[in-house]
Amino acid sequence: MRVLVVEDDEGIATGLDAHLRQLGWAVDMTDGVEAAWTALCVEPFDLVLLDLGLRDGDGSEVLRRLRHASPDRLPDAATPVLVMTARDQVAARIECLDMGADDYVTKPFDPDELAARMRALRRRSVGRAQPLLRAGPLEIDPATRAVRLDGQAVDLSAREFGVLLSLMEVRPRVLSRAQIEARLYSWDDALDSNAVEVHVHHLRKKLGEGVVRTLRGVGYFVPEDKA
Ligand code: CA
């Protein structure tokens, strides 16, 4: 999952960056309205964590622009937004929810609760009610990052898990290498040109050849279960 964090408090931003990366998510940090808007216009994000009091304006401006974005180009107007507010900012929270924010946390928040809320938002945005994802004998849990094949635990690296989760979330749709990279790597991450191929290769070694398929010249997909 690719996350844009919009937060101008350096301490909070640093803590969030470390915590979310540890969960295997690709995180990009911005500290203002205009920087956030620029980021949203050039990259597809799966979720935005939005602070309201920013150095160059109110974070709700990012939300307002996002929800009014034109179709067929970035940013995606439906990108889930989780607002971070102070405990006493009740009116601002109500305004943001009515403006199209999907959820909020009040500062100081518990990072694990925040992560759980982000996973819940992600499930909703991809239209999934079940916390576990299954494909045939394969079962993956985004919360614990546990992977089981025929009931046996399989050990995946964070990136391998990220590739698999990205494909499972949109199954049986095909994702191109660039689409997978956009979900897995933030601007700060060094990216080998064949990184996705290498992760897919390892996934096939660990899970068998049939789970992640190649559509030649297009990308990768996890097929539907056979009826
Ligand atoms: Ca702030």
Side-chain angles (χ1 to χ4, degrees):
M1 178 154 78
R2 179 86 179 257
V3 181
L4 179 67
V5 176
V6 190
E7 171 60 75
D8 63 347
D9 181 304
E10 222 168 280
I12 296 175
T14 306
L16 276 174
D17 190 31
H19 189 73
L20 300 178
R21 281 174 187 277
Q22 201 193 350
L23 296 171
W25 295 339
V27 185
D28 287 300
M29 310 296 297
T30 52
D31 61 358
V33 171
E34 296 309 324
W37 185 246
T38 303
L40 286 164
C41 289
V42 296
E43 285 289 346
F45 287 94
D46 298 310
L47 197 148
V48 180
L49 273 188
L50 184 63
D51 179 37
L52 295 184
L54 297 169
R55 53 177 179 76
D56 64 343
D58 196 301
S60 63
E61 172 62 14
V62 177
L63 178 63
R64 192 191 63 76
R65 289 190 204 171
L66 185 62
R67 292 298 182 246
H68 288 89
S70 344
D72 306 324
R73 61 178 150 99
L74 287 174
D76 179 355
T79 308
V81 174
L82 197 155
V83 170
M84 302 180 285
T85 75
R87 197 161 293 279
D88 58 358
Q89 286 181 302
V90 182
R93 280 204 289 282
I94 293 170
E95 191 191 7
C96 284
L97 289 169
D98 283 336
M99 213 189 270
D102 299 274
D103 199 2
Y104 70 88
V105 288
T106 54
K107 295 177 182 177
F109 47 78
D110 180 287
D112 292 327
E113 183 191 346
L114 175 69
R117 285 179 181 275
M118 292 169 70
R119 282 191 293 272
L121 268 191
R122 180 65 184 152
R123 283 200 300 276
R124 259 180 273 159
S125 73
V126 296
R128 180 162 59 84
Q130 300 295 334
L132 299 183
L133 292 102
R134 294 190 177 88
L138 181 71
E139 179 184 276
I140 76 175
D141 183 346
T144 61
R145 290 204 277 156
V147 177
R148 282 185 197 80
L149 187 69
D150 287 319
Q152 299 292 311
V154 181
D155 194 26
L156 299 184
S157 73
R159 297 289 195 209
E160 290 159 10
F161 183 85
V163 172
L164 184 61
L165 179 61
S166 300
L167 292 170
M168 291 281 278
E169 281 184 335
V170 302
R171 185 169 83 110
R173 266 176 45 211
V174 177
L175 291 180
S176 68
R177 193 179 78 180
Q179 286 173 318
I180 295 173
E181 283 169 357
R183 283 170 164 79
L184 291 192
Y185 296 94
S186 66
W187 295 312
D188 299 335
D189 290 328
L191 175 64
D192 293 330
S193 60
N194 63 348
V196 171
E197 279 92 333
V198 171
H199 298 319
V200 168
H201 176 72
H202 290 156
L203 282 171
R204 285 176 175 154
K205 270 187 157 170
K206 294 177 180 181
L207 303 172
E209 294 291 325
V211 174
V212 178
R213 305 280 184 85
T214 302
L215 190 60
R216 200 182 291 257
V218 183
Y220 302 101
F221 67 105
V222 175
E224 297 258 45
D225 293 337
K226 292 192 192 80

